[in-house]
């Protein structure tokens, strides 16, 4: 007996969804590159501005003692003429507060805001925004190192149009001592960067990069700043800004070097948090998108819903395969093997093609990025599986989460040093 029509359709979706999305991201990313990036100004020669408005650089910190010298040093080295630096010590239990005070005594640009307990990144950013004296806020994490022209590129976008509410930058991986670290180098160039370019082409971005983003304070004030009960405040703020009809730009020249997990446990915790953040914004804001005025968000919404549906489709296929090993199933439901066959080879080739196309773009920002191409053959095994299982866990975990609970800091895995 042939496979049932609905199961056949699910198999087709499970196969074609990642392939179609890969070509969608490649075409959008390459279009963005050839249309907007290829002949743009060099990174060390950002566009001149008629005036250089005063800007604020916000750095929320929780137990960042080991990273402060690098982060503050890179922040103070910005090639932007008029800015202040505000570091928010959010209830750190180490000597972060004392080290920040010592640095503030040496650098007049640096001000420190001390919060007496851990209330989460969203609250720390809100306190920093309220303490700032500028309309333009550039926000980075406490372990990030800004490239010296990054602030100029970000503020230039914010001043280029009255409806530009936010700009997201281009995170780059600092720690590359393990296979997981090297895989993330390829991921950030060929997946995350490519997706942001493609989303920018069709009009809306799923999320700014929380590790480097800039905001117009007027826009933040209109929507009520960051929500402190969301696991990922960056996804939520992105959706709310765009639902309020603010534009979000992507600036690949605004580089920011970050530390990422290099253990499976750390990677799982990070990706689970990202997956929960996606489910949270879908539950909170999804229903409000069903109006013609919000139509430019439909592409982002559809893309995310399909990704969740794909994850549960894969779960159903795995369950049917496992059941077939222990109990007799009707022939239309029986799945012989999960091992990749000809379709697995095609997906692998598409994956490699996507990585190859990303090298065309990213060699502009990292001259030796091609040396990481060897490691990408392991990407589908490591990251597709993690993405699949985090999505499966995130949906029920978010559905049963207690509403209104404040999202506080949890010190992440910063890699093997």
């Amino acid at each position: 007996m042939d496979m049932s029509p609905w199961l056949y359709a699910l198999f087709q979706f499970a196969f074609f969804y990642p392939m179609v999305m890969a070509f969608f991201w490649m075409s959008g990313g390459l279009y963005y590159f050839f249309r907007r990036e290829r002949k743009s100004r060099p990174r060390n020669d950002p566009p001149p501005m008629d005036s250089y408005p005063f800007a604020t650089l916000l750095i929320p910190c929780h137990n960042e003692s080991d990273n402060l010298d690098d982060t503050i040093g890179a922040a103070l080295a910005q090639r932007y003429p008029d800015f202040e630096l505000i570091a928010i010590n959010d209830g750190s239990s180490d000597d972060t507060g004392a080290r920040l005070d010592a640095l503030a005594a040496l650098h007049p640009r640096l001000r420190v805001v001390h919060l007496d307990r851990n209330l989460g990144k969203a609250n720390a950013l809100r306190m920093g925004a309220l303490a700032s004296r500028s309309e333009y806020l550039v926000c980075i994490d406490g372990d990030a190192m800004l490239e010296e022209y990054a602030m100029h590129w970000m503020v230039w976008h914010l001043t280029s149009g009255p409806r530009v509410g936010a700009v997201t930058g281009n995170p780059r991986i600092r720690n590359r001592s393990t296979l997981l670290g090297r895989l993330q180098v390829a991921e950030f160039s060929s997946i995350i960067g490519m997706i942001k370019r493609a989303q920018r082409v069709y009009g809306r971005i799923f999320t700014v990069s929380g590790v480097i983003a800039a905001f117009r304070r007027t826009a933040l004030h209109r929507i009520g700043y960051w929500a402190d009960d969301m696991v990922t405040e960056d996804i939520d703020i992105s959706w709310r800004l765009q639902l309020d009809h603010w534009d979000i730009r992507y600036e690949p020249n605004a580089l920011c070097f970050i530390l990422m997990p290099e253990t499976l446990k750390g990677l799982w915790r990070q990706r689970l948090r990202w997956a929960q953040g996606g489910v949270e914004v879908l539950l909170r804001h999804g229903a409000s998108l069903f109006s013609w005025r919000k139509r430019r968000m439909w592409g982002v919404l559809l893309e995310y819903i399909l990704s969740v549906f794909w994850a549960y489709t894969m779960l159903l296929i795995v369950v049917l395969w496992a059941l077939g090993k222990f109990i007799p199933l009707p022939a239309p439901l029986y799945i012989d093997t999960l091992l990749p066959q000809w379709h697995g080879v095609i997906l692998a080739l598409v994956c490699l093609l996507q990585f190859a196309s990303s090298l065309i773009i990213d060699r502009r920002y990292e001259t030796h990025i091609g040396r990481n191409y060897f490691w990408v053959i392991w990407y589908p095994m490591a990251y597709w599986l993690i993405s699949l299982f985090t999505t499966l866990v995130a949906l029920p975990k978010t559905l049963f989460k207690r509403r209104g609970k404040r999202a506080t800091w949890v010190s992440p895995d910063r890699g093997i040093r």
Side-chain angles (χ1 to χ4, degrees):
M1 187 182 296
D2 293 334
M3 184 180 296
S4 64
W6 66 268
L7 189 58
Y8 177 78
L10 287 178
F11 263 95
Q12 294 297 301
F13 174 74
F15 168 62
F16 282 108
Y17 170 74
M19 186 170 66
V20 169
M21 292 308 300
F23 279 109
F24 179 77
W25 294 330
M26 278 190 285
S27 58
L30 289 171
Y31 176 85
Y32 183 98
F33 172 73
F34 285 109
R35 179 73 181 269
R36 303 187 184 185
E37 281 182 76
R38 185 166 62 95
K39 295 183 179 180
S40 65
R41 303 174 72 95
R43 189 171 67 255
N44 59 358
D45 184 25
M49 301 165 64
D50 294 335
S51 63
Y52 292 85
F54 184 65
T56 300
L57 185 53
L58 297 180
I59 307 179
C61 305
H62 177 73
N63 293 344
E64 296 288 1
S65 178
D66 293 340
N67 303 304
L68 287 179
D69 289 341
D70 290 339
T71 299
I72 300 296
L76 291 169
Q78 290 300 292
R79 298 290 190 93
Y80 187 82
D82 193 13
F83 73 96
E84 64 176 347
L85 173 59
I86 299 179
I88 306 96
N89 172 33
D90 189 27
S92 297
S93 58
D94 63 2
D95 63 342
T96 292
R99 290 179 67 90
L100 284 173
D101 287 337
L103 289 168
L106 298 174
H107 304 287
R109 283 190 192 272
L110 173 61
R111 288 194 287 144
V112 181
V113 175
H114 294 284
L115 304 179
D116 62 356
R117 57 196 176 100
N118 175 1
L119 295 177
K121 182 180 177 181
N123 181 75
L125 286 170
R126 187 189 303 115
M127 294 300 103
L130 294 175
S132 72
R133 295 173 290 164
S134 170
E135 169 72 352
Y136 306 112
L137 311 175
V138 179
C139 309
I140 66 171
D141 281 355
D143 62 343
M145 294 179 62
L146 272 183
E147 199 268 343
E148 59 184 347
Y149 291 99
M151 191 171 189
H152 186 130
W153 282 101
M154 304 283 269
V155 176
W156 172 74
H157 273 287
L158 291 173
T159 60
S160 65
R163 295 304 301 173
V164 181
V167 186
T168 182
N170 188 359
R172 316 300 298 184
I173 308 300
R174 289 168 59 186
N175 47 332
R176 308 175 182 190
S177 59
T178 67
L179 175 59
L180 284 179
R182 292 173 183 138
L183 281 173
Q184 288 175 98
V185 175
E187 179 192 30
F188 269 71
S189 64
S190 64
I191 304 294
I192 295 177
M194 194 80 80
I195 290 174
K196 280 188 168 53
R197 288 176 175 90
Q199 289 176 342
R200 180 62 190 152
V201 166
Y202 70 68
R204 289 293 181 259
I205 289 177
F206 182 78
T207 180
V208 299
S209 296
V211 69
I212 172 172
F215 300 93
R216 184 186 299 272
R217 192 157 85 165
T218 299
L220 292 175
H221 188 73
R222 273 179 56 97
I223 65 171
Y225 296 92
W226 294 267
D228 58 11
D229 61 342
M230 303 292 279
V231 173
T232 51
E233 81 295 327
D234 47 0
I235 303 177
D236 176 71
I237 200 78
S238 304
W239 281 53
R240 286 195 289 127
L241 282 170
Q242 292 173 120
L243 288 172
D244 197 40
H245 305 291
W246 293 95
D247 190 24
I248 292 182
R249 302 272 182 88
Y250 172 58
E251 181 45 69
N253 285 294
L255 301 187
C256 182
F257 297 91
I258 62 176
L259 297 171
M260 293 291 284
E262 289 189 296
T263 64
L264 286 174
K265 180 180 178 181
L267 190 65
W268 170 265
R269 289 175 57 187
Q270 180 197 62
R271 299 310 163 96
L272 180 58
R273 186 175 64 85
W274 290 2
Q276 284 184 253
V279 176
E280 283 185 345
V281 296
L282 179 64
L283 295 176
R284 179 168 294 186
H285 305 299
S288 66
L289 298 182
F290 292 101
S291 70
W292 183 248
R293 294 185 69 244
K294 309 291 178 61
R295 63 190 179 277
R296 293 190 70 189
M297 287 291 288
W298 290 355
V300 170
L301 178 65
L302 178 62
E303 184 179 326
Y304 182 72
I305 290 175
L306 287 176
S307 70
V308 175
F309 184 68
W310 177 81
Y312 278 88
T313 299
M314 293 299 298
L315 175 63
L316 175 62
I317 292 172
V318 171
V319 169
L320 288 175
W321 168 81
L323 287 175
K325 300 303 177 185
F326 298 100
I327 61 175
L329 291 177
L333 299 180
Y334 181 76
I335 297 173
D336 182 53
T337 180
L338 294 177
L339 295 177
Q341 300 177 26
W342 65 268
H343 55 280
V345 174
I346 293 177
L347 285 176
L349 290 175
V350 170
C351 182
L352 291 175
L353 178 62
Q354 182 174 343
F355 283 116
S357 64
S358 75
L359 295 181
I360 297 174
I361 298 174
D362 255 47
R363 62 186 179 182
R364 179 185 179 97
Y365 307 104
E366 285 193 55
T367 54
H368 300 296
I369 189 71
R371 67 181 59 171
N372 295 288
Y373 192 73
F374 170 79
W375 304 103
V376 302
I377 193 172
W378 301 104
Y379 182 87
M381 183 180 298
Y383 282 85
W384 284 1
L385 287 176
I386 289 177
S387 177
L388 168 64
F389 287 113
T390 53
T391 301
L392 295 176
V393 173
L395 181 58
K397 186 173 182 179
T398 306
L399 288 173
F400 294 105
K401 173 187 173 184
R402 182 162 60 89
R403 297 292 182 265
K405 181 180 179 181
R406 186 187 296 272
T408 56
W409 291 92
V410 177
S411 296
D413 177 355
R414 260 62 177 274
I416 299 169
R417 306 195 184 183

